[in-house]
Amino acid sequence: MNKKGLAILMRTRMRPNNDLTKLSLSPLPNRMQSNPQESSGRVMEHSSDDAIRRLDCSGNAERDFDIVRGWMHSAISMKEMEGLDAVLNDFSKGYFSLSLDNRRELLRLLAKEYDFNRTQVRVLMKQYLGLELPSGDNAQSAGQQDDTPLSAFYHLERNLRHALKPTYEVLFERLNTHPGGLGFLSILRADILSILEEENTASLRALDTYLKEKLSMWLSPAVLELHQITWDDPASLLEKIVAYEAVHPISNLIDLKRRLGVGRRCFGYLHPAIPGEPLIFIEVALLKNVAQTVQEVLWDDPPIPESEATCALFYSISSTKPGLSGINLGKFLIKRVITLVKRDMPFISTFATLSPIPGFMQWLLSKLASQLNLDEVEVATRTPGDESVSTFWENILEPEEERLLIESSQDFVTGKNGMEILFKLLTLSNHEWISSTKLLSALKRPLMRLCARYLVEEKKRGKALDSVANFHLQNGAIIERLNWMADRSVKGLLQSGGIMVNYVYRMEKIEEYAHSYFSTGQIHSSPDILRYVETKKLQDESTE
């Protein structure tokens, strides 16, 4: 084994089931805990040793909290810039030394006590509402030549803009210009998001919204570097790829090297303030045709010569920083990669994905459970001779689907109807149903049809309910094809019953599709998808 491979093995835990999709309040991953300087982008390089030693030796959680709170206050309130770097270092390292409860308390305090002054805002608003706008000829001349009559408005508007800025903006701005501060801010936001999962308070929501807006501005595509990640990159960068691959975990060094070798590409966005660590990365397979199963991409079949490829398949996109959740760096990354691949390989004509459908099984099982519960209530409360059916009742299986399912499932489960049988089959602990050819045949039609319905019809706030579908649709993709038993892994079966989906990016339609989805929620689908979703409305909406 060469030195690079050994370094990656020594520094990275190969985690076949790593799941970085769920945010949790730090403690950070083990490698970060052991070296907090590294985890926050070397925020603490110039930290005051004496100040930090007071925390290390204290053993008093309340006293430690007060010390770190004092550093935070100083970082916000200091007027002189001399000594600011040392204070920011102390605050950053001190934050990592706090217990989880104290970090929560510090962020609550930051959200409430360093918000803007609402009393001052109310005073200014009253003054503003008390002003009278120029009228008639005076208004016309004021708008075109002399703005003196409006000077009081301009003055108050400037004061209002200033008053509406929360005090914690100072901390964010100063950290952003501080070495390693941008990485530290992303960790702060990850902790804020974790707290919001448990206590959705208005002040913390406002803090999160403000920090998200700042991060979105500071991480604009104009300042991000698109980097092709290869085996020649430093081991410290490659270990990030292994650790943060969230879609198809990297099992060993051979797997990693193959994903960076012939017929494969890996691109990441890097920021100069967080050197050597991609904020987000995408993996690409160069293929003759759009892949229908994950095995075609990940297994050990030798890749085709790149000159024979006609399809660039995006099979995994992963973020390395939970604190950047909701900041759509992936949209810009995909468009940049398409442009770059098309420039370097003009023979590539198709840009597609092989994507998971993470919310399908959860939606389907919830749908089945609610219908079964409704059926039980109906039976229990129905009076003799009453054959009416609740308006909420829906048999989501077609008659022929239900008949085949009942006939094929007798050796596995029993039930009073097809929906109960389907629910029991899909919740078998060992997924025994995938071992039966007969059952697979009976399940294919209903699961594919319901999956198409889930992707195309089920929405939240006017947009696709499935998170991955929403991501690609808002980027301008079209739902092209469903693939039966494309991912037989435990994760694939739990998420989507083994089904995967191809989204296609048609270069001449990307902006049009993205705009129509954003403005009206229109989901563009191929005729193959619409054949599963048999409604006239969807056929009329299709552009195909």
Side-chain angles (χ1 to χ4, degrees):
M1 180 184 297
N2 60 23
K3 291 182 179 179
K4 181 185 292 288
L6 181 61
I8 297 172
L9 275 179
M10 293 294 291
R11 297 174 61 177
T12 306
R13 294 180 178 181
M14 297 293 183
R15 295 174 294 180
N17 293 315
N18 64 344
D19 184 0
L20 300 173
T21 59
K22 294 182 179 179
L23 297 177
S24 60
L25 191 76
S26 304
L28 303 170
N30 290 334
R31 68 177 187 280
M32 296 183 178
Q33 286 183 328
S34 61
N35 188 354
Q37 285 92 338
E38 181 179 343
S39 70
S40 59
R42 296 181 177 83
V43 164
M44 292 73 71
E45 279 182 353
H46 309 289
S47 187
S48 167
D49 291 340
D50 290 339
I52 298 302
R53 194 175 298 114
R54 282 189 289 157
L55 286 178
D56 293 340
C57 300
S58 168
N60 186 321
E62 185 176 347
R63 183 171 177 271
D64 289 350
F65 177 85
D66 289 339
I67 292 172
V68 177
R69 177 181 179 178
W71 286 331
M72 183 177 74
H73 180 76
S74 297
I76 294 173
S77 61
M78 284 181 69
K79 303 299 182 183
E80 300 293 333
M81 294 301 101
E82 184 179 355
L84 177 61
D85 281 345
V87 171
L88 289 171
N89 288 331
D90 290 342
F91 167 62
S92 303
K93 189 168 186 178
Y95 179 84
F96 289 118
S97 75
L98 294 177
S99 66
L100 302 186
D101 287 341
N102 275 344
R103 288 191 213 176
R104 288 176 180 267
E105 187 58 34
L106 190 70
L107 290 171
R108 292 190 194 98
L109 183 148
L110 179 65
K112 291 181 179 179
E113 295 190 10
Y114 293 88
D115 202 350
F116 60 80
N117 187 330
R118 286 177 174 78
T119 301
Q120 181 186 9
V121 171
R122 287 172 62 87
V123 170
L124 290 170
M125 289 177 67
K126 287 180 180 179
Q127 294 175 8
Y128 190 82
L129 292 173
L131 296 176
E132 290 189 11
L133 283 168
S135 59
D137 294 338
N138 290 334
Q140 185 176 1
S141 63
Q144 295 179 359
Q145 300 174 7
D146 182 12
D147 61 2
T148 302
L150 294 175
S151 60
F153 284 93
Y154 291 135
H155 178 73
L156 278 173
E157 286 160 0
R158 183 183 66 246
N159 290 343
L160 264 172
R161 283 194 296 270
H162 180 75
L164 285 168
K165 291 182 179 180
T167 307
Y168 47 67
E169 180 192 55
V170 177
L171 179 65
F172 298 158
E173 295 278 0
R174 289 177 171 180
L175 280 170
N176 179 52
T177 58
H178 182 69
L182 188 61
F184 177 63
L185 284 171
S186 74
I187 294 170
L188 277 185
R189 183 164 183 258
D191 285 355
I192 294 168
L193 289 172
S194 181
I195 301 172
L196 284 172
E197 288 184 347
E198 300 178 12
E199 48 181 273
N200 193 11
T201 59
S203 58
L204 279 170
R205 285 200 310 272
L207 178 69
D208 172 61
T209 299
Y210 203 85
L211 181 52
K212 178 185 174 183
E213 291 173 353
K214 287 292 184 181
L215 289 171
S216 298
M217 179 176 62
W218 294 328
L219 295 172
S220 70
V223 298
L224 295 174
E225 173 195 350
L226 180 64
H227 175 70
Q228 182 177 342
I229 300 164
T230 71
W231 184 253
D232 294 327
D233 278 309
S236 58
L237 189 151
L238 298 184
E239 72 170 5
K240 302 294 194 305
I241 302 302
V242 175
Y244 290 104
E245 166 55 69
V247 183
H248 303 296
I250 298 172
S251 56
N252 52 46
L253 288 176
I254 295 174
D255 188 10
L256 173 63
K257 197 165 186 176
R258 183 172 185 269
R259 297 193 195 197
L260 303 176
V262 177
R264 299 293 182 269
R265 298 289 188 274
C266 183
F267 298 93
Y269 261 151
L270 279 72
H271 191 284
I274 312 175
E277 182 171 349
L279 304 181
I280 188 171
F281 60 92
I282 189 168
E283 296 173 71
V284 186
L286 305 177
L287 305 169
K288 283 187 176 181
N289 301 296
V290 178
Q292 298 187 51
T293 69
V294 71
Q295 290 83 359
E296 297 174 55
V297 179
L298 299 180
W299 281 13
D300 294 331
D301 294 334
I304 64 167
E306 293 189 357
S307 60
E308 297 180 11
T310 63
C311 171
L313 186 89
F314 308 132
Y315 64 94
S316 177
I317 184 166
S318 302
S319 173
T320 66
K321 294 195 172 296
L324 302 185
S325 174
I327 300 173
N328 193 357
L329 299 178
K331 171 182 178 180
F332 303 107
L333 178 60
I334 287 176
K335 291 182 178 179
R336 286 280 303 276
V337 169
I338 288 175
T339 302
L340 183 63
V341 171
K342 190 66 178 175
R343 184 197 70 190
D344 294 344
M345 290 175 279
F347 47 86
I348 298 292
S349 58
T350 302
F351 295 89
T353 79
L354 182 63
S355 299
I357 312 167
F360 171 53
M361 198 54 62
Q362 180 182 4
W363 169 82
L364 178 57
L365 292 177
S366 175
K367 189 80 172 173
L368 289 168
S370 65
Q371 292 300 317
L372 293 174
N373 289 336
L374 181 63
D375 188 43
E376 290 181 2
V377 171
E378 288 281 311
V379 171
T381 59
R382 186 175 296 157
T383 58
D386 182 8
E387 298 297 329
S388 63
V389 178
S390 168
T391 55
F392 298 104
W393 166 256
E394 176 194 9
N395 188 350
I396 63 174
L397 293 173
E398 295 177 351
E400 181 64 14
E401 294 171 349
E402 186 165 22
R403 184 187 66 79
L404 288 174
L405 193 56
I406 293 172
E407 290 178 357
S408 305
S409 62
Q410 295 174 356
D411 294 337
F412 292 86
V413 297
T414 58
K416 61 180 178 292
N417 57 39
M419 287 198 294
E420 183 176 352
I421 289 172
L422 181 59
F423 182 84
K424 288 181 177 180
L425 283 172
L426 297 179
T427 53
L428 289 173
S429 58
N430 296 320
H431 308 288
E432 290 95 331
W433 55 274
I434 67 168
S435 62
S436 168
T437 304
K438 190 175 181 181
L439 255 183
L440 284 174
S441 178
L443 285 168
K444 181 177 180 179
R445 169 68 191 182
L447 289 184
M448 294 281 275
R449 179 179 58 79
L450 291 167
C451 188
R453 166 181 166 177
Y454 167 72
L455 291 173
V456 177
E457 289 188 317
E458 298 299 322
K459 295 188 176 183
K460 179 180 180 181
R461 298 171 185 166
K463 301 297 186 293
L465 179 60
D466 188 78
S467 59
V468 174
N470 181 60
F471 171 78
H472 287 294
L473 291 168
Q474 70 180 345
N475 294 342
I478 181 173
I479 306 175
E480 183 70 19
R481 182 177 65 194
L482 290 179
N483 301 298
W484 178 244
M485 288 294 104
D487 183 2
R488 292 172 177 253
S489 69
V490 172
K491 183 178 180 181
L493 294 170
L494 286 173
Q495 286 187 338
S496 60
I499 302 172
M500 299 187 78
V501 59
N502 297 124
Y503 299 97
V504 169
Y505 287 86
R506 296 178 180 167
M507 297 186 66
E508 72 282 3
K509 293 287 189 179
I510 286 177
E511 295 303 328
E512 176 189 335
Y513 288 175
H515 176 73
S516 61
Y517 179 72
F518 178 78
S519 59
T520 67
Q522 182 179 1
I523 294 176
H524 295 272
S525 308
S526 70
D528 287 342
I529 296 296
L530 292 180
R531 272 194 283 270
Y532 286 113
V533 186
E534 296 172 344
T535 67
K536 185 177 183 300
K537 176 183 175 182
L538 287 172
Q539 291 173 3
D540 292 341
E541 288 180 351
S542 173
T543 60
E544 299 302 306

